[in-house]
Amino acid sequence: MKKAGFASFLILSAAVFFSCNGEKSVSLVMAESNPKGSISAQVDEIFIEKVRELSNGTIKIELYADSTLGDNTTVTNEMAKPNAKIHLARLSPAPFVTLGCKKSALPDVPYTFKDREHFWRFASSATAQEILNEPYEKGVGVKGLFFAEEGFRHFFSTKKLESIADFKGKKIRTAGNALMEEIAKCLGGEPVLVSFANIYSAMQTGEAEIAEQPIANYLANNFHKVAPYMILDAHQIGITEVAINSKTWDFLSENQKNALIEAGKAASEFCKKISAQAEEEAKNALLKDGCEFIEVKNITEWQKACADLINSLTYSDIELYGEIITLAN
């Protein structure tokens, strides 16, 4: 059965019934863009199991992975509807920005997070909760539950990159992402539109000379075979969040809401462990296969190159962004 038909058949409104003790129980649909077995899907599975356990079985979640229910934007738009047929999803914060949630842009600001520990201090902070709650408070129709990550994103290339100067005039793949287009320009490059599926061939033909991905994705897609150089600039972390439809959230009891929050904490801890481990394993495999990693000695130079962009993204919430930065230590 084709995905479109399969999805339209499976997307149903939340099934509601009552347990023997009278507490309302629900059966919910959750969307995931990555395939089962991926880091993100594994985090989803931990979250789902903990929700079932902590809610005493009154919340059952069925996961549809591999973009079965649509891409990130499609799923976000569906979840924002009052009568949403997708109740939970692992999403990028970016679509929330287009819906008027400016705070949601802050974790994606380039060169914000010093290291993985910095990100996880943020993820467990009151600042993170303020950003997660923004869509709900603005009446967008979605409430963030917890943040996760897929590893830092770095640039890789067909020719060795040792400094910002090496980006000048180079064709940088951006996939139509407005923020990545601006980052490419700040570094002196030329943004080019290439779909994810065509990155490998684009690097082969010279249509693109530079692209960016987390280390694990770089290995999984064999990009190092055509672009064996990766400069570890860590311009962004692959931040994601698990969110729930606002109406579904409001329908739940306090005990059930607490179950979702506590399950999110457990899933975050699992993500922190598995993501770092997967990245280290991927890096070792890449080194054995001839990939060369170039360390960035002075990240301040890269931040300065993107200073105007950083200021434009943070000026309206400069105090909140400052709170994120102070969590570096």
Side-chain angles (χ1 to χ4, degrees), residues 31-245:
E32 167 60 57
S33 59
N34 287 335
K36 286 192 174 182
S38 64
I39 291 174
S40 296
Q42 290 181 59
V43 172
D44 295 338
E45 295 284 4
I46 292 294
F47 171 68
I48 289 168
E49 177 56 28
K50 290 299 291 185
V51 169
R52 185 197 62 77
E53 175 189 326
L54 295 171
S55 71
N56 295 316
T58 64
I59 301 177
K60 296 180 180 180
I61 302 171
E62 189 163 6
L63 180 67
Y64 294 97
D66 204 14
S67 297
T68 303
L69 303 183
D71 61 20
N72 196 53
T73 301
T74 300
V75 170
T76 303
N77 290 338
E78 172 61 31
M79 281 185 61
K81 297 176 181 178
N83 59 340
K85 297 172 184 177
I86 301 173
H87 313 105
L88 292 142
R90 184 196 63 84
L91 303 162
S92 161
F96 297 133
V97 180
T98 64
L99 294 173
C101 300
K102 294 182 179 180
K103 294 175 184 177
S104 294
L106 298 181
D108 261 343
V109 172
Y111 304 109
T112 290
F113 293 106
K114 179 181 177 182
D115 50 31
R116 185 175 259 111
E117 290 302 317
H118 180 191
F119 169 78
W120 283 109
R121 280 194 289 273
F122 157 74
S124 61
S125 70
T127 304
Q129 285 303 312
E130 185 172 342
I131 295 172
L132 287 168
N133 286 335
E134 183 187 23
Y136 183 77
E137 292 174 351
K138 282 185 171 292
V140 167
V142 176
K143 174 179 168 50
L145 294 174
F146 66 93
F147 283 118
E149 51 95 354
E150 299 177 294
F152 277 99
R153 303 180 73 91
H154 310 282
F155 289 105
F156 60 90
S157 59
T158 54
K159 294 181 180 179
K160 191 172 182 178
L161 301 170
E162 296 186 284
S163 69
I164 296 175
D166 294 329
F167 282 73
K168 188 174 182 179
K170 295 292 194 306
K171 291 176 282 188
I172 303 176
R173 180 262 176 181
T174 64
N177 180 306
L179 178 54
M180 184 50 60
E181 288 179 2
E182 292 304 314
I183 294 173
K185 291 176 184 177
C186 288
L187 297 178
E190 175 191 341
V192 293
L193 181 62
V194 177
S195 69
F196 185 85
N198 291 326
I199 291 177
Y200 192 100
S201 61
M203 303 297 271
Q204 270 185 319
T205 62
E207 181 184 353
E209 299 166 278
I210 300 172
E212 52 88 49
Q213 285 291 309
I215 291 174
N217 287 359
Y218 177 53
L219 172 64
N221 292 279
N222 288 313
F223 293 142
H224 64 291
K225 299 292 186 181
V226 289
Y229 304 101
M230 175 173 271
I231 187 164
L232 302 175
D233 74 305
H235 50 275
Q236 290 173 306
I237 196 165
I239 186 169
T240 63
E241 66 178 275
V242 169
I244 187 170
N245 167 262

